[in-house]
Amino acid sequence: MDFEKINLITKNFFERSKVLKIEFIESGLINKTFLIEHLINGKKSKFILQCISNIFESYERININHKLITDHIKNKTKKKHLKSDNHRWETPCLIKCNSNNLFALPFCSDIWRAMEYIDHTISFDILDNNRMAYQTGLGLAKFHRICSDIDLKKLENTIKDFHNTNYYLEQFNMIIKDYNFIKLDVNVKKRVQYLIFSLSNHILYVESLLGYLKRKLIQPSLIHGDPKLSNFLFDIQYKYVVSLIDLDTVSSGYLLTDLADCIRSICNKAGEDPDNIENVYFDINCFKYFLSGYFSITNKNGDYRFDLLPEFIYLLIVELTIRFLNDFLQSNRYFKIKYQTHNLYRAEVQYRLLSSFVTQLPTLSKSLHEIGISSNPTFVSDVQKIV
């Protein structure tokens, strides 16, 4: 990144600023994000600078949602909403641009924004231990509780068809119907065709599962939408969750979607880009610790149908596998990549995680039963037949 360009952009948010250091944050798959250290009014300070991806419906909408959430969280934390917890909870508020008094700066055909940096924190792509799985569950529960009374009607739709599994399935079927597989390298072609074949029965089952879930009365709530591990900030010393960041995907949805996506992320201790795909498996112990953390402040007997959690985990892993594969077959338009077959490899990693998850479903269901949540034995037996 051009140092002078970043310095010029920064001056639009901070008048008397001199950039000292630029650090590119690689964990995000959508926006380009930088940690900026600068000198302002004679003092060193840090902030987050972000170039917003064009996948969003509009940058105005994501900023409206962002401010709605951060204002609400700041108000709640001032009133000590989580009275039983002495740990800090912070949120990355947007910083206004001096040149236009807005939360966004159009610059060289891109949209840039700045937000506060949360100090003394660290993020992870892979959990260090099961205690951190507990803290991640607790952190997600805090976010859900703090945001539980936000008026869902005030939320803007930021990504069309986000977490709409039917849309991803329709897209997949259209892509492979007309795809010219001859243009692929021989080895890549084999990998793609093997993955398509392996997914075929899962896709048929997901289509029926979606109909089943649609008939269930699940209460809509505010959800984060992308609670992967790297979006949790941990206190650098004590390793408890301080914040859940990347609020662009916040929307009205099902708490189960957030739980399932977070579990999918943290229970793959090899990470989404492992050096060796053979190391990918679904970690049941991590799952148990996460649930213990989440339900330490959440009522598991509420109206949220937590008995459907296994179905949602299965659905989210299949969904992300298809999304990565779709993106590869469409020339990598959505997710950032480091090499041409990156999204194909990501899809293969998710499929391996899916296979491990399915084989361990009986144990997972037993874990849920031990904390008073009954799961559907028919779902367990049906999915295991596919494998």
Side-chain angles (χ1 to χ4, degrees):
M1 169 55 63
D2 186 338
F3 191 92
E4 288 305 316
K5 180 178 178 180
I6 290 290
N7 199 28
L8 187 57
I9 293 169
T10 297
K11 287 183 183 299
N12 280 273
F13 290 95
F14 304 92
E15 287 180 0
R16 291 178 291 276
S17 169
K18 180 182 178 182
V19 173
L20 302 174
K21 184 180 177 182
I22 301 170
E23 180 183 337
F24 179 60
I25 299 173
E26 294 189 9
S27 58
L29 298 184
I30 307 299
N31 296 321
K32 292 178 183 176
T33 306
F34 304 86
L35 172 59
I36 309 296
E37 184 177 334
H38 66 144
L39 199 64
I40 180 166
N41 298 324
K43 292 183 179 180
K44 283 186 180 180
S45 181
K46 294 179 180 178
F47 73 98
I48 298 296
L49 186 65
Q50 205 166 52
C51 181
I52 301 174
S53 170
N54 59 9
I55 64 148
F56 296 104
E57 294 282 290
S58 79
Y59 70 86
E60 291 98 339
R61 290 183 186 180
I62 64 171
N63 283 346
I64 287 170
N65 281 0
H66 199 289
K67 192 171 187 309
L68 174 70
I69 304 305
T70 54
D71 285 354
H72 183 86
I73 291 174
K74 285 184 88 72
N75 184 48
K76 280 293 186 74
T77 51
K78 279 181 184 177
K79 294 179 179 179
K80 297 184 178 178
H81 180 70
L82 296 170
K83 295 177 183 177
S84 61
D85 193 341
N86 293 323
H87 291 156
R88 62 180 172 133
W89 185 269
E90 300 186 38
T91 189
C93 294
L94 296 171
I95 297 168
K96 272 193 177 179
C97 177
N98 288 323
S99 60
N100 60 16
N101 205 34
L102 301 174
F103 292 112
L105 172 71
F107 190 91
C108 294
S109 304
D110 290 317
I111 301 295
W112 294 81
R113 67 180 176 184
M115 64 187 78
E116 296 170 352
Y117 172 71
I118 300 176
D119 217 345
H120 307 297
T121 59
I122 188 171
S123 64
F124 298 88
D125 292 318
I126 301 169
L127 288 177
D128 282 352
N129 52 55
N130 287 327
R131 179 180 172 276
M132 288 177 63
Y134 177 94
Q135 291 298 329
T136 305
L138 179 59
L140 184 60
K142 283 183 181 181
F143 179 82
H144 284 162
R145 175 180 279 196
I146 291 171
C147 297
S148 61
D149 56 344
I150 289 180
D151 185 354
L152 300 181
K153 293 176 183 175
K154 293 181 179 179
L155 287 173
E156 298 282 344
N157 184 29
T158 58
I159 307 177
K160 188 178 180 182
D161 291 313
F162 189 56
H163 283 314
N164 180 349
T165 312
N166 264 325
Y167 168 76
Y168 300 126
L169 292 179
E170 289 171 5
Q171 191 181 46
F172 172 77
N173 289 327
M174 285 176 62
I175 293 168
I176 63 171
K177 180 182 176 183
D178 300 319
Y179 194 79
N180 180 16
F181 290 94
I182 298 173
K183 68 180 182 180
L184 295 175
D185 171 87
V186 175
N187 289 332
V188 173
K189 179 181 174 183
K190 285 181 181 177
R191 289 167 62 189
V192 170
Q193 290 181 329
Y194 176 76
L195 191 53
I196 290 172
F197 173 77
S198 302
L199 280 168
S200 57
N201 286 332
H202 287 288
I203 289 171
L204 288 173
Y205 185 73
V206 163
E207 288 170 347
S208 65
L209 179 62
L210 288 170
Y212 167 76
L213 293 175
K214 194 174 182 180
R215 293 190 293 272
K216 300 294 178 181
L217 296 175
I218 307 174
Q219 181 178 331
S221 304
L222 183 140
I223 64 169
H224 181 275
D226 187 23
K228 60 186 178 185
L229 179 59
S230 60
N231 281 334
F232 289 83
L233 295 185
F234 291 78
D235 181 87
I236 201 164
Q237 183 176 0
Y238 298 106
K239 301 299 188 295
Y240 62 83
V241 173
V242 169
S243 184
L244 182 51
I245 60 170
D246 195 359
L247 302 174
D248 297 338
T249 52
V250 166
S251 64
S252 172
Y254 303 133
L255 294 185
L256 285 164
T257 300
D258 265 2
L259 266 76
D261 203 20
C262 190
I263 289 166
R264 174 204 62 76
S265 172
I266 68 169
C267 290
N268 174 11
K269 286 192 172 180
E272 293 189 358
D273 282 307
D275 293 332
N276 185 353
I277 199 170
E278 299 294 323
N279 294 332
V280 175
Y281 70 99
F282 187 92
D283 191 301
I284 285 289
N285 285 327
C286 186
F287 170 76
K288 291 178 182 178
Y289 276 89
F290 172 86
L291 289 185
S292 297
Y294 188 84
F295 289 120
S296 65
I297 63 169
T298 300
N299 178 12
K300 57 180 172 286
N301 299 314
D303 300 324
Y304 295 113
R305 296 303 308 265
F306 292 117
D307 57 305
L308 295 172
L309 184 55
E311 284 92 331
F312 271 79
I313 298 171
Y314 173 76
L315 198 62
L316 264 292
I317 302 176
V318 173
E319 179 184 293
L320 189 56
T321 306
I322 291 170
R323 288 179 66 197
F324 281 139
L325 182 55
N326 284 354
D327 203 31
F328 169 74
L329 295 173
Q330 290 185 306
S331 303
N332 305 303
R333 301 174 186 173
Y334 190 95
F335 298 108
K336 290 188 298 188
I337 57 168
K338 293 180 180 178
Y339 53 93
Q340 200 58 34
T341 57
H342 197 166
N343 279 321
L344 173 59
Y345 182 62
R346 286 169 172 158
E348 291 168 330
V349 168
Q350 291 303 312
Y351 183 76
R352 186 171 177 86
L353 183 67
L354 175 69
S355 301
S356 175
F357 167 75
V358 169
T359 58
Q360 296 181 83
L361 261 173
T363 308
L364 185 142
S365 297
K366 185 180 177 182
S367 299
L368 286 172
H369 185 73
E370 287 170 355
I371 61 171
I373 298 175
S374 299
S375 55
N376 183 357
T378 305
F379 166 72
V380 176
S381 60
D382 284 351
V383 172
Q384 291 205 299
K385 288 174 187 174
I386 296 174
V387 177

